[in-house]
Amino acid sequence: MPRARKVVALALLAAAALAGCGGGESDDKAAEKQLRASGAPTPVCADQVPDPATVPEAFPADFPLPDSAVIYGSERRSGGRTIVYAVVDRDVKAVLKQLQDGMKGAGFTLTEGEVEARDAESNWTGNGYTGRWAIREIAGCTEQTSVTVLAAKG
């Protein structure tokens, strides 16, 4: 590869890496756009949930959703997967601690995941299920966190 192409390629890689960093307002907008594109309901503040939903039967009954979680949607996906969308009237750090402690106490094992200042996610397994949860600070809501949990039997 000619030297000029290598320099351009490295510059593009550096720009792509930096675009993912920062945690500013543009990251919030990008995350919201990605969420809408996925077909998931848009998170709202806890006091704005028009008609709270219930946990679907296919969702693990012993999954420790955070205290005071208000479910604003759920969906069934192929392969027996179920997704629950909720909002909790607490900050990300408090919700993260309760999820981590609650899952261990309920017999679930957290596997790979990551924690950042305004969001966190983790894969998990246990009690006959596997899945993934993600939590994220909700822009425009004072100390409120969206919780999305995917669960699949097996």
Side-chain angles (χ1 to χ4, degrees), residues 90-103:
R90 286 195 313 276
D91 68 25
V92 169
K93 287 181 182 179
V95 173
L96 174 63
K97 179 157 178 37
Q98 187 176 8
L99 262 174
Q100 290 173 329
D101 293 347
M103 292 193 76

Side-chain angles (χ1 to χ4, degrees), residues 25-57:
E25 184 65 21
S26 61
D27 289 345
D28 289 340
K29 289 180 182 178
E32 287 177 29
K33 188 183 281 188
Q34 182 180 17
L35 188 62
R36 280 193 211 104
S38 73
T42 302
V44 296
C45 299
D47 62 348
Q48 296 173 352
V49 175
D51 189 19
T54 58
V55 176
E57 282 187 35

Side-chain angles (χ1 to χ4, degrees), residues 86-152:
V87 60
V88 180
D89 194 10
R90 286 195 313 276
D91 68 25
V92 169
K93 287 181 182 179
V95 173
L96 174 63
K97 179 157 178 37
Q98 187 176 8
L99 262 174
Q100 290 173 329
D101 293 347
M103 292 193 76
K104 291 174 187 169
F108 293 94
T109 301
L110 297 171
T111 58
E112 55 206 350
E114 74 173 355
V115 176
E116 295 178 354
R118 298 179 347 189
D119 62 54
E121 55 270 336
S122 180
N123 294 335
W124 56 269
T125 186
N127 302 341
Y129 290 85
T130 60
R132 181 168 180 83
W133 56 255
I135 61 175
R136 182 169 182 82
E137 176 181 286
I138 302 174
C141 300
T142 304
E143 294 190 350
Q144 294 192 23
T145 304
S146 70
V147 177
T148 303
V149 182
L150 171 104

